[in-house]
Amino acid sequence: MLTDDDLTTRPTTTERRARAAVAALFLTNGALFANLVPRYPQIKDDLGLGNAVYGLAVAAFPAGALLAGLAAGVLVRRFGSARVAVAGTVLTATTVMLAGASPSLGLFALALLAAGGSDAITDVAQNAHGLRVQRRYRRSIINSFHALWSAGAVLGGVMAAGAIAAGVPRGVHLAVSGVVFAAVALVAYRFCLPGADADGAAHDPDQPSAAVPAQPAPAAGVARGRVVLMLAGLVVIGIAACLVEDAGTSWATLYLSTSLGAPAAIATTGYIALAAAQFVGRAVGDRFVDRFGQRTVARAGGLLIAGGMGAAVAFPTVPGTILGFAAAGFGVATLGPAAMQAADELPGLKPGTGLTIASWLMRIGFLASPPLVGLVADATSLRVGLLVFPAAGVVVLLTSACLQNRAVLRH
């Protein structure tokens, strides 16, 4: 027998289609850039870049994200999260293709700068729409969206590995992937939620409206100060997560191929292992969070990152390093979504403000990782540079108290 709660939580056809549409947007976002990442060693060799210069060049991507990220909130309020996410996806596909085909360092960095800006705007917009769909579902589904991003990253990495093995030119490979995933995003747009983004529980003709409790406003200056401190702690967790993701993205293939002597086809599996394990962690993440709470899950993740990659760096072998990247991917799986969701729900902030600020500042992790690891690698070795992984795991352990040890959407 159905209860009143069943009637308000059962998703409608519109909501199920919207969930599928958001999942498709996350998948395309993960796949587009992942098609470029395994090409980095070739680009580095073709352009004759040293480790430090290479690190600075790929830092153009997060730099572009920082420059453009704060515009996301304005664009979402002006045009709607679904429209901005799809337009950003098309622009990302174009700029990634240009980065792969760039004949010089300057053009490569400029294309990555533009790609980073469009990706940051897409990221905020698709998360905003995903959280809107989550409010309609009245249960946690945000990690499932990020799982599809990881699935897209694995798909993109596998596509790139196949293109490399088959000798497909970079320009052709990235043009094909860009057209395919831009088309997926355009189709998904048709099934996104209608109406204004500000109304997360907008009335749907297929089901009775159900109000979402408003976020309480802080009582005074002390309360506002606590909100700022909580936001800062969440940003630190997010930055640590970004450091892990970006270090794996920018350096896994290079480390396995140059430092450990793995063949090109095997070297790509380090990044693929990280992304695949991240997908698995996000696929089960909502259930883990509902059962154990965000704080406990984050602490377990921090231990996995620190222990897995710490062991891989201490005892370097190709299989052990691939397993270390996999442990880091599983450990980092829910950290970014948890930080963004918790920031979006902080009291006293306008809708989307916490999400936009957290997402923007988290990009510092992406910006800092490439040059930091590159400079350390040139001064010592890339193996020492990868100590950023266990360091990030320790940071998560120290700041995890900012997360709630409960299911976020439990009513």
Side-chain angles (χ1 to χ4, degrees):
M1 179 177 178
L2 294 176
T3 66
D4 290 341
D5 189 61
D6 292 326
L7 292 174
T8 60
T9 58
R10 180 173 294 232
T12 66
T13 299
T14 297
E15 290 160 352
R16 287 194 296 269
R17 289 176 175 173
R19 180 177 183 178
V22 174
L25 290 174
F26 272 82
L27 184 138
T28 61
N29 186 248
L32 282 170
F33 191 56
N35 268 278
L36 175 64
V37 169
R39 295 286 194 168
Y40 273 177
Q42 293 178 338
I43 294 173
K44 180 176 179 290
D45 289 341
D46 289 348
L47 298 180
L49 307 179
N51 285 328
V53 174
Y54 166 77
L56 290 171
V58 296
F61 186 90
L66 281 174
L67 289 173
L70 286 181
V74 176
L75 292 172
V76 166
R77 286 190 291 271
R78 177 73 173 82
F79 299 105
S81 58
R83 188 176 300 171
V84 172
V86 172
T89 298
V90 174
L91 183 57
T92 300
T94 303
T95 51
V96 163
M97 179 187 67
L98 293 175
S102 295
S104 68
L105 172 62
L107 291 176
F108 175 61
L110 184 62
L112 284 181
L113 188 77
S118 61
D119 180 75
I121 292 170
T122 302
D123 185 45
V124 171
Q126 68 186 12
N127 272 286
H129 207 76
L131 288 171
R132 185 181 170 200
V133 174
Q134 179 173 266
R135 287 191 291 269
R136 298 284 287 269
Y137 266 69
R138 289 187 174 273
R139 58 186 174 86
S140 179
I141 60 173
I142 191 65
N143 284 298
S144 69
F145 292 139
H146 286 263
L148 266 295
W149 184 95
S150 298
V154 173
L155 174 61
V158 170
M159 288 172 63
I164 291 170
V168 178
R170 283 200 305 271
V172 174
H173 157 220
L174 294 172
V176 171
S177 68
V179 169
V180 168
F181 292 115
V184 171
L186 289 169
V187 172
Y189 176 69
R190 294 185 54 204
F191 302 101
C192 290
L193 286 177
D197 281 272
D199 185 7
H203 178 68
D204 188 321
D206 294 333
Q207 83 171 32
S209 62
V212 175
Q215 296 172 347
V222 174
R224 292 191 188 95
R226 185 175 183 276
V227 169
V228 172
L229 288 175
M230 289 291 291
L231 181 58
L234 294 171
V235 167
V236 170
I237 292 173
I239 288 174
C242 292
L243 280 169
V244 171
E245 290 185 31
D246 189 77
T249 299
S250 300
W251 299 101
T253 303
L254 196 64
Y255 177 66
L256 283 162
S257 62
T258 60
S259 298
L260 300 184
I266 299 298
T268 61
T269 60
Y271 170 70
I272 293 171
L274 185 145
Q278 189 178 55
F279 165 73
V280 173
R282 287 172 171 174
V284 299
D286 289 315
R287 277 176 285 176
F288 281 3
V289 168
D290 283 342
R291 180 169 182 178
F292 302 108
Q294 287 182 338
R295 187 186 307 156
T296 299
V297 173
R299 285 174 176 168
L303 284 172
L304 271 175
I305 295 166
M309 278 305 292
V313 172
F315 308 102
T317 64
V318 171
T321 299
I322 293 172
L323 287 175
F325 281 121
F330 193 85
V332 79
T334 64
L335 296 181
M340 287 189 286
Q341 183 174 348
D344 193 54
E345 296 178 347
L346 286 173
L349 300 178
K350 292 181 180 180
T353 299
L355 173 62
T356 299
I357 293 174
S359 179
W360 181 66
L361 290 175
M362 282 165 59
R363 299 281 175 166
I364 294 173
F366 290 124
L367 178 64
S369 175
L372 174 63
V373 176
L375 289 170
V376 173
D378 275 352
T380 55
S381 69
L382 185 51
R383 177 186 173 191
V384 175
L386 292 185
L387 286 173
V388 68
F389 279 93
V394 172
V395 167
V396 170
L397 289 171
L398 294 175
T399 55
S400 57
C402 294
L403 295 168
Q404 294 294 327
N405 213 24
R406 60 175 175 78
V408 175
L409 292 183
R410 195 181 298 278
H411 291 290

